[in-house]
Amino acid sequence: MRSKEKISYFYDGDVGSVYFGPNHPMKPHRLCMTHHLVLSYELHKKMEIYRPHKAYPAELAQFHSADYVEFLHRITPDTQHLFPNELAKYNLGEDCPVFENLFEFCQIYAGGTIDAARRLNNGICDIAINWAGGLHHAKKCEASGFCYINDLVLGILELLKYHARVLYIDIDVHHGDGVEEAFYFTDRVMTVSFHKYGDLFFPGTGDVKEIGEKEGKFYAINVPLKDGIDDASFNRLFKTIIAKVVETYLPGVIVLQCGADSLAGDRLGCFNLSIDGAYLPVIEELLCVCVLFGKIVTLLPFILFILCASHAECVRFVKKFNLPLLVTGGGGYTKENVARCWTVETGVLLDTDLPNEIPENDYSKYFAPENTLKIPSGYIENLNTKSYISTIKMQVLENLRCIQHAPSVQMQEVPPDFYIPDFDEDEQNPDERVDQHTQDKQIQRDDEYYEGDNDNDHTMDDV
């Protein structure tokens, strides 16, 4: 057991100021809301805060095709009409629109995950957090599902320089298809995705039968779920499978994608998960019923399980393995709940319980009138029967039994971190405007906690 985890947290306010367009469900502004909620609970005082570097095109091309990266670099809203064939080729359009500062947005969120991986590799921290990352749908040569650059794949490639085996866990409501596809033929990365599957739900992949191929056979694990899964069912399945995965695979490091669209009430989701345990009024009502019928002792274990079963409990459970851990965001389209969720999970990673009443902050109006962290579980009918869950669990565990032992790899000399050129101050043109990010190259800043993040979406009604 480590005495005290050292945690690095990556944030750049610019990543939350981009705008996907009217009526688009992706709201990067949720990242500003999350950050200010983290500040309001004073969690920043327990972490090292860093502004990530902007990933260079050559860094992005460690996974993505060079022509795709180059096109993202030069396309703008004003010029996109000139490239209809390229837009179709790279799947840019309605779901993945071209917007102002698109490439910089990609550079920042990818840079955060790459930086997080490098700090873990060098033992500078035990846990690294990049809530802006987790865009798991992007493919090698195309955008997909609101994702342009797959920062998770880039981060895992960094981790593979130092670790023989990397475990990737995904609790987004959508299948982590881009990450799975990238490592489908290798045993050096095991991907485990818990997601909604069926009914033409995006992206349409993630059947339990998709298990990897060639050297990667049995190293892709999919846990397909139906509408309405609740805290208790999800956590019981998650803990059983992840415990067996870690025991069998023996990873050197874990990457955890915490997509918040698996929460109850998400605009694009269909699960019933709470953020961190059952909603207090529900527990009070249950206790009253138990007392009324004299069942308090009999049902106490069940009540305690319900109290701790949640989205955040997955984070808590993974943290207990005491392995180097890279945590990212992902989906999440009810932005006030996304901010609540990732703030609670920042607290979990810091072993800090947070008061349910949200402190005053720049975005307090978004959390009104409740002004509380916890949200009620959902009321969508749970179509995941005990029989269905048992069948899925047995299939997954059977596939794990096909892995005789943790795969080994002949480690070579560790390749260096990608070369990042320094700027020579003597060569800078004093009349040329230097952008904010260049000024912030010394990433740990005294004025990191600033006001004024723009909510360029606050005047628009969510649809």
Side-chain angles (χ1 to χ4, degrees):
M1 180 78 177
R2 291 180 294 220
S3 55
K4 184 72 174 175
E5 286 102 351
K6 196 169 184 180
I7 299 183
S8 295
Y9 170 100
F10 295 87
Y11 176 74
D12 185 324
D14 289 344
V15 82
S17 64
V18 300
Y19 182 50
F20 274 59
N23 302 329
H24 197 290
M26 176 61 93
K27 312 287 187 188
H29 173 244
R30 65 199 179 134
L31 300 166
C32 298
M33 294 172 63
T34 300
H35 184 63
H36 280 264
L37 205 50
V38 165
L39 298 185
S40 72
Y41 278 104
E42 299 191 338
L43 296 177
H44 60 287
K45 295 180 179 179
K46 302 181 179 185
M47 306 182 286
E48 293 183 340
I49 312 296
Y50 296 95
R51 190 186 298 273
H53 85 286
K54 286 183 186 175
Y56 284 79
E59 289 180 283
L60 304 180
Q62 296 299 297
F63 169 61
H64 294 283
S65 64
D67 61 310
Y68 173 55
V69 172
E70 192 273 332
F71 186 74
L72 286 179
H73 197 180
R74 65 186 167 93
I75 192 68
T76 69
D78 293 335
T79 62
Q80 61 178 319
H81 67 280
L82 302 173
F83 303 99
N85 294 335
E86 288 85 350
L87 291 173
K89 175 182 177 181
Y90 299 125
N91 198 32
L92 297 171
E94 188 174 344
D95 277 358
C96 300
V98 175
F99 52 82
E100 207 66 52
N101 299 317
L102 166 61
F103 192 67
E104 181 182 42
F105 171 69
C106 295
Q107 288 180 292
I108 294 172
Y109 78 72
T113 301
I114 292 169
D115 286 348
R118 288 174 179 163
R119 293 186 73 80
L120 288 169
N121 279 345
N122 291 297
I124 301 171
C125 65
D126 304 299
I127 298 171
I129 304 169
N130 178 29
W131 292 126
L135 278 71
H136 58 173
H137 294 306
K139 307 298 197 302
K140 182 180 180 69
C141 303
E142 66 177 43
S144 177
F146 317 156
C147 305
Y148 302 83
I149 293 294
N150 199 315
D151 63 290
L152 291 159
V153 172
L154 294 170
I156 291 170
L157 290 174
E158 285 292 322
L159 294 170
L160 287 171
K161 295 177 181 178
Y162 283 71
H163 298 278
R165 293 176 299 280
V166 177
L167 172 59
Y168 171 73
I169 304 170
D170 191 318
I171 57 173
D172 194 290
V173 77
H174 299 96
H175 177 227
D177 58 334
V179 183
E180 178 184 278
E181 183 178 301
F183 301 108
Y184 205 63
F185 298 97
T186 180
D187 58 8
R188 300 245 354 244
V189 179
M190 178 172 279
T191 60
V192 187
S193 179
F194 297 79
H195 52 267
K196 153 77 176 182
Y197 178 74
D199 306 321
L200 302 179
F201 194 75
F202 184 87
T205 53
D207 191 350
V208 70
K209 296 175 183 175
E210 296 171 25
I211 58 174
E213 295 180 22
K214 298 181 179 178
E215 287 80 7
K217 189 174 183 181
F218 302 120
Y219 292 92
I221 294 175
N222 285 297
V223 186
L225 301 167
K226 300 179 181 180
D227 287 4
I229 194 159
D230 56 29
D231 284 332
S233 301
F234 189 92
N235 279 152
R236 196 178 294 115
L237 191 58
F238 181 88
K239 291 181 178 183
T240 300
I241 289 173
I242 295 302
K244 192 63 179 177
V245 163
V246 172
E247 176 191 326
T248 304
Y249 189 60
L250 300 176
V253 60
I254 297 175
V255 177
L256 177 60
Q257 197 267 22
C258 297
D261 48 6
S262 46
L263 291 174
D266 188 82
R267 288 173 63 192
L268 300 186
C270 53
F271 287 174
N272 286 325
L273 302 187
S274 67
I275 292 174
D276 196 21
Y279 193 48
L280 189 57
V282 175
I283 292 298
E284 290 174 343
E285 186 176 326
L286 186 57
L287 285 171
C288 289
V289 172
C290 291
V291 171
L292 181 64
F293 290 98
K295 298 289 187 180
I296 188 68
V297 175
T298 307
L299 294 177
L300 187 59
F302 172 74
I303 294 172
L304 291 174
F305 182 80
I306 291 293
L307 275 169
C308 68
S310 62
H311 195 278
E313 178 61 17
C314 296
V315 178
R316 193 176 286 113
F317 184 73
V318 171
K319 181 178 182 289
K320 288 178 181 177
F321 289 110
N322 292 315
L323 291 167
L325 178 60
L326 197 167
V327 180
T328 74
Y333 307 100
T334 301
K335 56 187 180 180
E336 61 273 18
N337 288 347
V338 174
R340 286 179 166 107
C341 181
W342 293 343
T343 300
V344 167
E345 289 170 356
T346 302
V348 166
L349 294 166
L350 289 165
D351 294 320
T352 301
D353 291 328
L354 304 181
N356 194 35
E357 185 174 347
I358 293 175
E360 184 67 27
N361 66 85
D362 289 355
Y363 297 95
S364 292
K365 65 180 181 181
Y366 288 96
F367 306 106
E370 300 88 354
N371 291 309
T372 56
L373 270 184
K374 292 191 177 182
I375 60 169
S377 300
Y379 301 102
I380 297 173
E381 181 185 0
N382 187 357
L383 302 180
N384 299 273
T385 63
K386 287 184 178 179
S387 173
Y388 176 76
I389 289 176
S390 177
T391 299
I392 292 296
K393 181 175 68 175
M394 285 191 297
Q395 285 181 275
V396 169
L397 296 179
E398 183 61 36
N399 288 339
L400 277 170
R401 277 192 282 272
C402 294
I403 300 174
Q404 299 301 314
H405 51 77
S408 59
V409 61
Q410 183 68 42
M411 296 299 285
Q412 309 294 326
E413 181 179 350
V414 177
D417 290 341
F418 193 82
Y419 173 68
I420 307 298
D422 291 321
F423 292 99
D424 187 340
E425 291 184 7
D426 295 333
E427 293 183 4
Q428 295 296 305
N429 181 349
D431 297 323
E432 187 176 301
R433 183 178 179 274
V434 180
D435 65 62
Q436 185 65 46
H437 204 283
T438 303
Q439 294 177 42
D440 296 339
K441 200 74 185 238
Q442 305 300 113
I443 54 181
Q444 199 166 16
R445 295 155 39 100
D446 292 331
D447 62 340
E448 187 72 48
Y449 313 109
Y450 50 84
E451 297 180 355
D453 292 317
N454 292 322
D455 175 15
N456 55 13
D457 194 46
H458 76 283
T459 58
M460 301 203 177
D461 294 326
D462 285 343
V463 175

